[in-house]
Amino acid sequence: MLPLPRRRALAALAPAALLATAAVGCGGAGGLRGAGTAPTAHSPARLWPDLTPASSPAYDIGEVDTEVLKGVAVPGGDIRRVDPAAAVRAEIAAHPDDYRGAKAHYRGTADRMADCAAGGDRDRCPVLTPYYRDLTGDGRADMTLGFELLPAKMTAVRVYTVEKGRLVRVMSYDDAVSGVELAGRSLIVRSPSEVAGYEYRLQWSWDGDQRAMLLTHDEMLRTGRVKKHPPRTGPSPSASASAG
């Protein structure tokens, strides 16, 4: 939106500009032409004004769910020197019910972590290539990491930063993922939808007050493709946002 003084100046010039244009171009090629009837403007309509406002959320979706990863070294405070596999192992150790045991949802991830070590089969390692970019605005790189959640065929997306020499997870999301992007200081995750020709697009951005990446946009967009996706294997985007 333009600053108020500039908007007023443009408003004052607009009638004169229209008169000049009409005097010069009326009746000639390129003259003013009507664009048709303008649509009627409607102000926002508040529904159910007597409804008692909610004082607390109905569901805990973990909007701000940060965690210090214990036992992960950050040599020289440089996140680029952190072992990505060590970060995943720390998460597995912190949440054994999700990764350990025959009934654990992501037991296959834990089983394959041995292939991330020296001498292992790197093609079987579930940890994806990390990416580094300053997402928190402190002038230092942060780490965006993904790893496969097996056998569920899902992907875990995480963002880590360094605070006081410790590795801190500031964003967490698990789902069937079709694409991940870094745009400026935001992280965008695209996930398939059950609706043919549409996908979910979720964007996280850093919030300095909460010291976390918050889900700032959650939308359903048309892709133009009509291929029908299989049913989602994970929770809805909002329900799994920031859940660790």
Side-chain angles (χ1 to χ4, degrees):
M1 181 175 291
L2 292 172
L4 184 57
R6 188 177 177 189
R7 293 206 307 273
R8 286 175 176 169
L10 290 177
L13 289 174
L18 287 175
L19 288 173
T21 305
V24 174
C26 184
L32 294 178
R33 294 174 180 271
T37 304
T40 303
H42 296 281
S43 61
R46 183 183 177 189
L47 307 186
W48 308 302
D50 297 329
L51 186 67
T52 303
S55 59
S56 61
Y59 303 100
D60 179 11
I61 62 174
E63 293 96 334
V64 181
D65 185 13
T66 61
E67 183 176 355
V68 176
L69 272 69
K70 298 179 180 180
V72 181
V74 186
D78 185 358
I79 201 167
R80 295 178 184 272
R81 298 175 63 186
V82 172
D83 178 8
V88 178
R89 292 190 185 98
E91 179 162 329
I92 291 174
H95 305 278
D97 291 344
D98 292 334
Y99 297 94
R100 302 292 188 186
K103 295 184 179 180
H105 293 301
Y106 312 133
R107 57 192 179 277
T109 300
D111 293 341
R112 290 194 182 184
M113 287 304 297
D115 288 305
C116 301
D121 184 352
R122 297 297 300 180
D123 290 336
R124 286 177 51 83
C125 174
V127 182
L128 307 178
T129 301
Y131 289 86
Y132 301 94
R133 178 180 292 189
D134 179 11
L135 296 175
T136 61
D138 62 359
R140 300 180 300 173
D142 303 297
M143 179 170 67
T144 300
L145 184 64
F147 57 94
E148 297 174 277
L149 296 173
L150 303 170
K153 295 183 179 180
M154 295 168 58
T155 302
V157 181
R158 306 286 187 265
V159 174
Y160 302 97
T161 191
V162 177
E163 294 182 358
K164 299 179 180 179
R166 302 177 302 174
L167 189 68
V168 181
R169 190 190 70 208
V170 295
M171 178 270 176
S172 174
Y173 181 68
D174 302 335
D175 202 354
V177 173
S178 56
V180 182
E181 304 167 11
L182 291 174
R185 289 179 177 167
S186 295
L187 176 76
I188 299 170
V189 177
R190 293 184 290 108
S191 298
S193 165
E194 300 94 334
V195 181
Y198 289 82
E199 69 178 5
Y200 293 108
R201 184 181 185 274
L202 300 94
Q203 176 176 322
W204 281 263
S205 302
W206 174 252
D207 185 287
D209 292 332
Q210 300 298 328
R211 306 294 301 170
M213 300 281 288
L214 301 186
L215 180 61
T216 52
H217 290 84
D218 182 349
E219 54 189 345
M220 191 177 191
L221 298 177
R222 186 172 181 84
T223 64
R225 298 187 297 270
V226 296
K227 179 180 179 181
K228 190 171 183 179
H229 296 292
R232 296 168 66 85
T233 56
S236 65
S238 295
S240 61
S242 300

